[in-house]
Amino acid sequence: MRIVKTIAEIRDIVGTWRKSGLSVGLVPTMGYLHEGHQSLIEKADAQNDKVIVSVFVNPMQFGENEDFDSYPRDIERDSAVCQKSGGDVIFNPEISEMYGEYFSSFVNMTTLPEGLCGKSRPVHFKGVCTVVSKLFNIVCPDRAYFGQKDAQQLAIIKRMVSDLNFNIEIIGCPIIREEDGLAKSSRNTYLDEEERKAAVVLSRSLSIGREIIENGEKDAEKVIHAIKEEILKEKLAKIDYVEIVDMDMLRPVKEINGSVLTAVAVYIGGTRLIDNFII
Ligand code: AMP
């Protein structure tokens, strides 16, 4: 697996592929790849001639008291996972390669980043939009792959691509889970044994919410209440948010009609985990 550190080299490689008429898929990640990432890489491999996986822990999308320093990193392991999933090249730039000394341009968005995760992570989506725009401009892929696990991020990227006319197709991919239902995440490595058991409360409470909606409940408050009640049974859990929002602008809905996103963020001990479903 070729690991490329510079923008010039990536542009060279993509340029050569383009000359041969090959299509290119991009899978942006922060590394420490698991089966969730693998599913994105496999899909990219199935739909494109060549696949670039970016591995970059982007400092701009972490708040001051967040886990940028402790975020797990292992490029050798990532390289092996990437290879077996069908990736062709890993783009793994240094921070200085992405953000030069005088860096001062940002991609910001109104409304969509304001609720859900944006409330407790106010700088997060500005960092995400900026780095993803840069990756899009560096790689110029035909398609880019994002997980439904980060539902707000996926909605924001789709909006950004439409608003700013990036000529890239955004492909959303389903959430990959552990056997007990916990959504796979690089941050699951922070959990000790007891916390790992407790973390299943996210998917369990969402399943309860889904069942209530499937049984015909239209009142969003009642569904949210049932989900919160289930989460609060778990003593290691602390709720950041439980929300039901519309799919277009991610605004809270009162009545469940049409497509809605039900999303939760919960601290298990010191680890903040997210999960969601669309119905
Ligand atoms: P990350 O490395 O956490 O920034 O994630 C990189 C990409 O992988 C994002 O588009 C995530 O939504 C996606 N992803 C992370 N975990 C999962 C999962 N469990 N299932 C599907 N996609 C995922």
Side-chain angles (χ1 to χ4, degrees):
M1 175 61 44
R2 192 161 167 198
I3 300 176
V4 169
K5 306 292 287 182
T6 68
I7 294 166
E9 246 182 303
I10 273 290
R11 287 203 161 134
D12 244 30
I13 293 169
V14 174
T16 310
W17 290 343
R18 290 291 183 203
K19 274 188 201 133
S20 313
L22 301 176
S23 60
V24 180
L26 171 67
V27 182
T29 81
M30 296 204 299
Y32 216 73
L33 304 180
H34 51 66
E35 287 88 342
H37 300 112
Q38 265 181 273
S39 72
L40 270 55
I41 301 169
E42 283 163 7
K43 187 147 196 181
D45 182 38
Q47 296 184 337
N48 301 275
D49 298 313
K50 296 288 181 184
V51 176
I52 294 183
V53 178
S54 62
V55 173
F56 180 60
V57 185
N58 173 35
M60 200 188 284
Q61 70 191 65
F62 288 79
E64 264 182 31
N65 299 317
E66 293 184 353
D67 56 342
F68 174 72
D69 289 330
S70 55
Y71 199 85
R73 295 162 170 89
D74 187 343
I75 195 69
E76 291 310 317
R77 189 176 157 280
D78 287 346
S79 172
V81 174
C82 190
Q83 176 126 39
K84 79 170 176 204
S85 314
D88 292 286
V89 172
I90 291 184
F91 178 45
N92 177 224
E94 297 299 329
I95 293 172
S96 57
E97 181 73 4
M98 293 295 275
Y99 302 115
E101 196 184 343
Y102 302 111
F103 187 89
S104 38
S105 305
F106 303 89
V107 180
N108 216 345
M109 190 182 286
T110 56
T111 314
L112 284 185
E114 285 159 16
L116 303 175
C117 291
K119 257 189 220 153
S120 56
R121 307 191 72 191
V123 301
H124 178 64
F125 290 111
K126 178 181 173 186
V128 168
C129 286
T130 302
V131 80
V132 170
S133 299
K134 286 174 67 67
L135 290 169
F136 284 177
N137 284 328
I138 291 164
V139 175
C140 298
D142 298 283
R143 298 176 195 85
Y145 296 78
F146 293 86
Q148 186 60 47
K149 153 101 189 323
D150 299 270
Q152 188 176 17
Q153 169 174 280
L154 176 57
I156 285 171
I157 298 297
K158 282 183 174 166
R159 174 57 42 79
M160 180 183 83
V161 161
S162 165
D163 287 353
L164 301 184
N165 309 99
F166 283 99
N167 192 16
I168 296 168
E169 188 184 355
I170 302 302
I171 313 281
C173 304
I175 302 175
I176 304 298
R177 299 178 177 282
E178 302 286 353
E179 260 179 37
D180 64 1
L182 175 65
K184 302 236 181 204
S185 166
S186 307
R187 288 192 168 96
N188 291 350
T189 54
Y190 297 152
L191 303 170
D192 67 24
E193 208 179 316
E194 202 188 346
E195 290 168 342
R196 172 62 189 81
K197 280 188 198 144
V200 81
V201 78
L202 278 87
S203 57
R204 192 172 65 232
S205 62
L206 283 172
S207 296
I208 289 171
R210 179 191 275 275
E211 206 181 310
I212 295 172
I213 297 174
E214 280 171 352
N215 286 336
E217 183 58 66
K218 296 267 178 239
D219 184 342
E221 250 334 295
K222 284 192 182 151
V223 181
I224 290 170
H225 179 77
I227 294 172
K228 283 186 172 168
E229 207 171 50
E230 183 64 23
I231 296 172
L232 291 174
K233 285 184 195 160
E234 176 48 68
K235 65 177 189 330
L236 291 179
K238 196 173 138 252
I239 295 172
D240 180 4
Y241 67 77
V242 177
E243 287 198 43
I244 301 182
V245 299
D246 71 78
M247 292 299 297
D248 296 321
M249 293 307 283
L250 305 183
R251 283 173 303 217
V253 299
K254 280 195 163 61
E255 200 178 296
I256 299 169
N257 274 318
S259 260
V260 291
L261 167 71
T262 304
V264 302
V266 178
Y267 287 93
I268 301 292
T271 304
R272 186 176 174 282
L273 299 175
I274 57 173
D275 200 348
N276 68 80
F277 68 88
I278 292 170
I279 197 163

